[in-house]
Amino acid sequence: MGASHEALARGAARAAAGACEGEAPARPRTAAEAERPGGAAHVPAQAGAHAADGPATGGPDAGAPEAGAVAGGAPEAGAPAQGAAADGVPAQGARNAQSAQGTPGSAGGAPAPGAPAGGGGGAPQEPAAGAARREGERLRFVGAATRRIARGIDLDEIVLGLCRATVPTFADAILVYLRDPLPVGDERPVDPFVLRLRRADRLRLTEDGPGDLGLLPAGAAVAPDVEQSPAAELCEVRSGGHLAEVLRGVRPVSGDSEAARAALHELLGEGSVVPSGERAVLAPLRGRRRVIGAAVFLRRPERAPFEPNDLLVAAQLATHTALGIDKAVLYGREAYIADELQRTMLPENLPQPTGVRLASRYLPAAETARVGGDWYDAIPLPGSRVALVVGDVMGHSMTSAAIMGQLRTTAQTLAGLDLPPQEVLHHLDEQAQRLGENRMATCLYAVYDPVAHRITIANAGHPPPILLHLGGRAEVLRVPSGAPIGVGGVDFEAVELDAPAGATLLLYTDGLVESRLRDVWTGIEQLRERLAATAQLTGPDHPPPLEALCDDVLDVLGPGDRDDDIALLAARFDGITPSDVAYWFLEPEDAAPGRARRLARRALARWGLEDLNDAVELLVSEVVTNAVRYASRPVTLRLLRTEVLRCEVGDDSPQLPRQRRARDTDEGGRGLFLVNRLARRWGATRLSTGKVVWFELPTRL
């Protein structure tokens, strides 16, 4: 009796240890449970059966304990511990060891052939301990695999995570099919229902070429008269077919049934070889609202077949993958919309004003955080001037991008009114306050006059511009910093500086000079030194090429040294020499058009442009006649010779002329029609003191 009690005690201790290791119930199994398929391994996984019914509605591991609670410090999926497989099927060495101990590879935990089904002693408890251990390994694999899938952000990373987590730990090969095109959010999927092979991974046992993609792994035993062929890349799911029925059922199915084999042949192609028996699992991928794909898990004939509990594992993996794909597709669409919103709010092409050349760059902070509030702009103004603007809305969100678009539109409207730079910033400040609280931005607004070779700058809390002189000297311009836009109740101050020909003005946002590794003033000094070093390469008489200069400026950023988006605007001042400018005042009287024709003829003769006499005299006469009709003060006439001949006529009337179709009996109304037909370009701009009407003619007809 003493020996019998001792044997019973040892058996009970072993049973308790096995139950703790596999999280199995503490009660002993009955004889019926020992012989039931699945046995003790089926009990702890029963709570996870809902994972096969559709998407998980609870935590990331519906039907299984928390990954951290079960797996603890378990190895990553795809790298199981030595001698054991994480899918519940022991590795080759582990299977041999278990066979020697009388524990088979089945999940039921039934006794080995020849062993008693019940009785005293500790021998009947060994299968229960092995089944519990195998179930614990299965749960640890599910936890590690779902964590690996969840780490993916985009679609390819999630699918790759599923493949790497399951091959070779859970299967020898996997094929992932996704709907083409993938529906986004609540949008209705398009017909027909087409699945496209997104990725296929396999365990390679021979040195196959990288393009070799057989349905079965290398070395698989197939009939000698059957030729292996790759899986089909496209599959149209026919309504009422076997594949449609399996996908509608949502639950993974094993390849041992006739319906499952028919569905696999329909998905993979009639010429493909599907492993017989329980060596293939077809798992539908169901997102939040609909089936978005399917995953096929395959095992070689010499490996243990899939067990009933492996279908629950496949359901867990399919559910986590489908939900991750749903989120990745939705995030990708939002990122695309945000990126398009940001880029459409920036100028697609910079203008080409007279006397200045422009170049720009825009870089987002990162691929995963594209939306920002940085912007730049170049706006042509009357008198061949140009407004240069760069700004930065605080924050990184869709809201920041929307505010940036509103402020940029406001700045363009204010520039069209030809307001001084400080007045433009004042009105932008008022607009930012109207948009709501905490709508703040920094902005720098400059106006360049190529005739006077001067630039007027006003600043609202923005980093100062840098002027690169022709000789190679880089100068940080001293501009009053001012308060950011949106603060309210702050006056802005403008300064007027020389803008010599050949100099380059660089406007930028703080993302170029400020990061976690350096403060803004250290970055500005490094940028100034970089510009000076670049200018030395081209010599003192030639400024560096503008596009190459912008690229070189961006190289000042080190790897990983970009925490913010960057907007960069570079302006090369060519100017207009005084010898290429002719300027006159005309009294608003009837003789003014005739005098304007004579003055224009003399200027064209001095420039050697006599071929333009007829066209210029006709157009100048028409525009000056219209200005004299409404002006009460002297009319201005200016001719500028650059790549084109530009004529500007200004008066004090704010009413802009409009082209209209004159009737046959009308004596007037054809002046702007002639301007529109003969001039290459023309336009009218309202000023605070009136308006300017201008037209351009090519210097060679």
Side-chain angles (χ1 to χ4, degrees):
M1 293 294 293
S4 176
H5 281 293
E6 182 177 358
L8 289 175
R10 286 197 302 270
R14 284 194 297 270
C20 293
E21 183 176 356
E23 297 297 325
R27 65 178 180 84
R29 296 189 304 141
T30 64
E33 290 174 339
E35 296 178 0
R36 184 185 307 151
H42 187 68
V43 175
Q46 191 68 26
H50 297 290
D53 296 333
T57 56
D61 287 39
E66 284 292 332
V70 177
E76 193 64 52
Q82 182 70 24
D87 59 351
V89 179
Q92 189 66 36
R95 285 202 299 269
N96 295 338
Q98 287 181 350
S99 299
Q101 296 174 5
T103 303
S106 65
Q125 300 297 333
E126 288 295 330
R133 181 174 60 254
R134 290 157 58 80
E135 186 61 23
E137 292 171 350
R138 181 179 284 110
L139 294 177
R140 283 193 290 272
F141 164 73
V142 171
T146 52
R147 286 197 304 273
R148 186 163 192 167
I149 295 170
R151 281 202 299 264
I153 297 177
D154 59 18
L155 180 62
D156 291 331
E157 288 180 350
I158 294 172
V159 174
L160 178 62
L162 171 65
C163 295
R164 295 290 172 83
T166 54
V167 177
T169 308
F170 183 70
D172 294 322
I174 181 175
L175 299 97
V176 181
Y177 284 84
L178 295 181
R179 196 162 188 159
D180 186 27
L182 274 170
V184 180
D186 297 332
E187 71 179 17
R188 295 179 61 86
V190 298
D191 292 329
F193 187 172
V194 176
L195 293 177
R196 179 182 292 275
L197 182 62
R198 183 77 183 194
R199 186 177 179 87
D201 277 11
R202 50 176 280 182
L203 177 63
R204 300 185 183 275
L205 300 182
T206 62
E207 295 183 5
D208 297 329
D212 179 22
L213 179 61
L215 177 59
L216 293 179
V222 295
D225 57 341
V226 177
E227 181 182 2
Q228 290 194 50
S229 62
E233 184 178 354
L234 285 176
C235 172
E236 182 176 344
V237 182
R238 299 188 301 270
S239 178
H242 294 284
L243 179 58
E245 291 297 325
V246 171
L247 296 179
R248 188 179 298 112
V250 177
R251 299 184 179 185
V253 294
S254 178
D256 57 348
S257 66
E258 191 65 29
R261 290 188 63 82
L264 285 171
H265 279 297
E266 183 180 342
L267 174 64
L268 305 179
E270 293 298 332
S272 299
V273 179
V274 179
S276 60
E278 298 178 349
R279 302 184 185 279
V281 171
L282 173 57
L285 302 178
R286 179 176 176 83
R288 294 181 304 162
R289 299 183 180 276
R290 59 185 66 88
V291 173
I292 60 175
V296 180
F297 304 95
L298 303 170
R299 284 185 180 176
R300 301 192 312 273
E302 62 267 22
R303 185 171 177 175
F306 288 107
E307 304 172 0
N309 280 354
D310 289 331
L311 296 181
L312 300 179
V313 174
Q316 287 276 17
L317 299 178
T319 298
H320 282 274
T321 302
L323 294 178
I325 290 174
D326 252 1
K327 294 178 181 178
V329 172
L330 190 61
Y331 171 79
R333 174 64 63 86
E334 292 178 351
Y336 172 78
I337 293 174
D339 183 58
E340 287 298 306
L341 173 65
Q342 171 79 5
R343 295 191 180 277
T344 52
M345 288 182 178
L346 297 174
E348 184 176 355
N349 295 304
L350 291 174
Q352 299 178 352
T354 302
V356 62
R357 285 174 286 173
L358 303 173
S360 64
R361 295 290 187 274
Y362 173 78
L363 292 179
E367 288 298 319
T368 56
R370 301 184 177 192
V371 185
D374 292 18
W375 90 91
Y376 61 88
D377 212 344
I379 309 167
L381 300 178
S384 299
R385 296 171 300 150
V386 59
L388 308 174
V389 191
V390 65
D392 183 4
V393 178
M394 297 183 182
H396 294 276
S397 63
M398 294 284 287
T399 303
S400 300
I403 294 174
M404 178 269 288
Q406 292 175 303
L407 293 180
R408 177 174 177 247
T409 302
T410 303
Q412 289 179 328
T413 304
L414 296 172
L417 299 176
D418 199 27
L419 297 178
Q422 65 271 23
E423 290 296 324
V424 172
L425 295 184
H426 175 74
H427 289 292
L428 284 176
D429 179 62
E430 292 180 340
Q431 175 67 11
Q433 295 179 66
R434 284 191 292 267
L435 294 177
E437 297 181 358
N438 300 323
R439 307 302 192 197
M440 301 180 66
T442 63
C443 182
L444 193 144
Y445 188 93
V447 175
Y448 170 64
D449 188 342
V451 176
H453 296 273
R454 303 282 288 178
I455 185 168
T456 306
I457 306 175
N459 192 4
H462 203 77
I466 298 178
L467 185 64
L468 179 62
H469 293 268
L470 185 59
R473 181 173 63 92
E475 174 188 6
V476 179
L477 298 182
R478 296 183 178 181
V479 180
S481 60
I485 291 172
V487 173
V490 179
D491 292 332
F492 298 98
E493 182 180 353
V495 294
E496 187 174 352
L497 305 171
D498 288 331
T504 303
L505 183 69
L506 198 71
L507 309 179
Y508 53 91
T509 56
D510 58 357
L512 182 63
V513 294
E514 186 179 18
S515 70
R516 290 169 295 179
L517 306 178
R518 59 185 178 183
D519 60 80
V520 61
W521 287 107
T522 301
I524 291 175
E525 181 61 24
Q526 293 177 356
L527 177 60
R528 187 194 66 79
E529 294 175 354
R530 185 60 175 265
L531 288 172
T534 302
Q536 295 296 330
L537 300 177
T538 57
D541 299 329
H542 299 86
L546 203 57
E547 296 291 341
L549 180 65
C550 291
D551 293 334
D552 193 68
V553 163
L554 295 180
D555 289 341
V556 75
L557 301 168
D561 192 22
R562 196 173 81 231
D563 305 324
D564 197 0
D565 44 346
I566 298 171
L568 176 67
L569 180 63
R572 172 70 45 76
F573 299 145
D574 292 334
I576 301 176
T577 60
S579 59
D580 292 330
V581 180
Y583 192 85
W584 303 279
F585 286 96
L586 304 174
E587 292 295 330
E589 55 189 13
D590 295 340
R595 183 166 181 261
R597 290 194 296 269
R598 292 192 298 272
L599 294 174
R601 191 185 306 113
R602 294 174 186 171
L604 294 177
R606 185 169 68 250
W607 293 333
L609 300 177
E610 291 86 352
D611 296 342
L612 300 179
N613 278 336
D614 294 340
V616 171
E617 287 187 24
L618 176 60
L619 298 185
V620 165
S621 178
E622 293 294 339
V623 176
V624 171
T625 298
N626 188 75
V628 169
R629 180 178 303 174
Y630 300 101
S632 58
R633 296 182 180 179
V635 175
T636 60
L637 172 62
R638 185 164 72 169
L639 296 178
L640 299 99
R641 183 189 64 169
T642 55
E643 294 83 1
V644 297
L645 180 69
R646 182 183 177 95
C647 175
E648 299 174 349
V649 177
D651 60 77
D652 61 345
S653 174
Q655 183 177 359
L656 298 180
R658 294 183 180 179
Q659 182 181 352
R660 64 184 180 89
R661 183 177 296 275
R663 293 174 296 183
D664 295 339
T665 58
D666 291 343
E667 295 183 359
R670 298 178 178 84
L672 291 182
F673 175 79
L674 293 174
V675 173
N676 185 62
R677 292 300 298 269
L678 297 179
R680 191 181 73 168
R681 292 195 311 154
W682 75 279
T685 305
R686 183 178 285 111
L687 306 177
S688 58
T689 57
K691 68 175 181 295
V692 169
V693 180
W694 57 270
F695 63 85
E696 292 179 352
L697 291 171
T699 54
R700 290 293 181 267
L701 292 177

